[in-house]
Amino acid sequence: MTHPNRLAAPAEAAPPKPHQVVIEPPRGWIRIDWRELFAYRDLFLLMVKRDVQVLYRQTILGLSWAIVRPFISMILFTFIFGRVAKVSSDGLPYPLFSYTALVPWTYFSTAVLASTMNLVANSAMLSKVYFPRLVFPFTPIASKFVDFVIAFAFIPIFMFYYRIPPTANIVFLPLLVLIMALASAGLGMLLSALAVQYRDINYASQFLMQILMYAAPVVWSTSALTARIGGNMRLVYGLYPMVGVIEGFRSALLGASPMPWDLILMGGISSLLLFFAGAYYFRQMEARFADVV
């Protein structure tokens, strides 16, 4: 019998419960675990920072390379299409007309190409450590925004030089940027998943970007095309997301024509469909990446 004034011996501490990770199949038809992506945000930001640093490390011009490509393209297009071919620019100076289109187009093409190759380029990480694979195609979509912002900063300088004031429609630029990013991410997810199985995609995507550039109203205006193909075909053409984005940039910044809401609406719908289709295919193929790559 224990004496009442005697202290009881302390109970033995329970052993700590082992840490368990329960892996469950994702739910939903697209099956994107947004909470898991948010949990790995530090890794995502680290990879974005690495992309930007690697791109401009040991370069003489540094971040100036962000404007070299659209600036040189603007000079070539101005000479070939503006001076020689006399392509209509809706009454705007052709250098400003083409550069305003080249800024969003350059982002779209570089982001999609980098997103397509990013998964294969980091194949060594696929079989060594787990994290959401969607980080790979999403990383260039974010890192290329640095180039986009730098190149975009020169548009007001050109507008000041040509004495063209901005319009009130400039408030709609974030909507156009969102459509541009959704289309880039959707096509990037689709092509990156295909590139794991078919390495030809890495080469074919570069030709695809060249075709898509001339299909977009980068060097010409949709006003001349609409007069030939009519309103219904204009809406079909607007399913190409970059059509509404490029014409929207020109209208919002330069005001040469009203905001093309019909093209922006069609491009917004198709960019959403492209994003969900790309995400669906990427998630369907994700389980095979480590075995195929």
Side-chain angles (χ1 to χ4, degrees):
M1 180 175 182
T2 305
H3 193 276
N5 295 330
R6 189 174 179 179
L7 294 176
E12 295 183 0
K17 295 182 179 179
H19 181 70
Q20 294 182 346
V21 177
V22 180
I23 301 177
E24 297 178 340
R27 300 174 181 176
W29 69 277
I30 295 180
R31 303 184 300 180
I32 295 180
D33 192 342
W34 295 107
R35 286 193 299 180
E36 185 185 42
L37 280 174
F38 183 76
Y40 282 88
R41 62 188 180 281
D42 291 338
L43 173 66
F44 174 69
L45 294 175
L46 183 66
M47 294 182 69
V48 170
K49 182 180 178 182
R50 186 200 62 174
D51 264 19
V52 176
Q53 290 178 338
V54 168
L55 186 60
Y56 297 110
R57 182 180 297 169
Q58 295 180 343
T59 60
I60 297 175
L61 297 180
L63 292 175
S64 300
W65 281 109
I67 65 166
V68 167
R69 181 177 175 181
F71 191 77
I72 292 179
S73 298
M74 177 197 71
I75 295 174
L76 292 175
F77 291 164
T78 299
F79 176 74
I80 297 173
F81 298 102
R83 298 290 179 84
V84 178
K86 302 293 184 182
V87 174
S88 172
S89 59
D90 291 339
L92 295 168
Y94 199 88
L96 181 60
F97 172 83
S98 59
Y99 187 81
T100 306
L102 280 166
V103 172
W105 168 256
T106 303
Y107 167 80
F108 175 75
S109 62
T110 55
V112 170
L113 286 176
S115 182
T116 300
M117 294 183 282
N118 204 32
L119 194 57
V120 176
N122 293 280
S123 58
M125 298 174 64
L126 287 175
S127 57
K128 292 182 179 178
V129 62
Y130 173 77
F131 57 88
R133 303 309 189 216
L134 280 170
V135 169
F136 287 117
F138 283 169
T139 296
I141 302 300
S143 63
K144 297 303 177 186
F145 263 112
V146 176
D147 294 354
F148 171 77
V149 171
I150 295 173
F152 182 86
F154 281 79
I155 294 181
I157 298 175
F158 285 124
M159 293 172 64
F160 178 78
Y161 177 79
Y162 288 109
R163 299 182 179 181
I164 296 178
T167 71
N169 290 327
I170 198 172
V171 297
F172 297 114
L173 278 181
L175 173 63
L176 302 174
V177 172
L178 176 62
I179 295 174
M180 179 179 68
L182 280 176
S184 305
L187 192 55
M189 286 187 287
L190 181 63
L191 293 178
S192 63
L194 284 170
V196 173
Q197 283 193 312
Y198 310 103
R199 301 303 167 87
D200 309 76
I201 298 297
N202 287 334
Y203 304 101
S205 59
Q206 299 182 23
F207 292 106
L208 176 64
M209 284 299 113
Q210 292 181 359
I211 295 172
L212 289 178
M213 192 203 73
Y214 287 105
V218 175
V219 299
W220 44 273
S221 171
T222 57
S223 59
L225 183 67
T226 304
R228 294 186 178 184
I229 65 176
N232 292 332
M233 288 304 296
R234 172 185 164 91
L235 294 179
V236 175
Y237 180 53
L239 289 173
Y240 179 14
M242 291 308 294
V243 174
V245 170
I246 290 174
E247 289 295 339
F249 263 71
R250 285 180 179 141
S251 299
L253 291 167
L254 311 179
S257 59
M259 284 292 286
W261 289 115
D262 54 343
L263 298 177
I264 294 173
L265 176 62
M266 298 302 290
I269 294 173
S270 60
S271 63
L272 274 175
L273 293 176
L274 183 60
F275 179 84
F276 288 123
Y280 177 79
Y281 184 75
F282 188 94
R283 294 291 288 169
Q284 288 291 324
M285 302 300 296
E286 184 178 358
R288 308 176 189 175
F289 287 164
D291 299 327
V292 176
V293 74

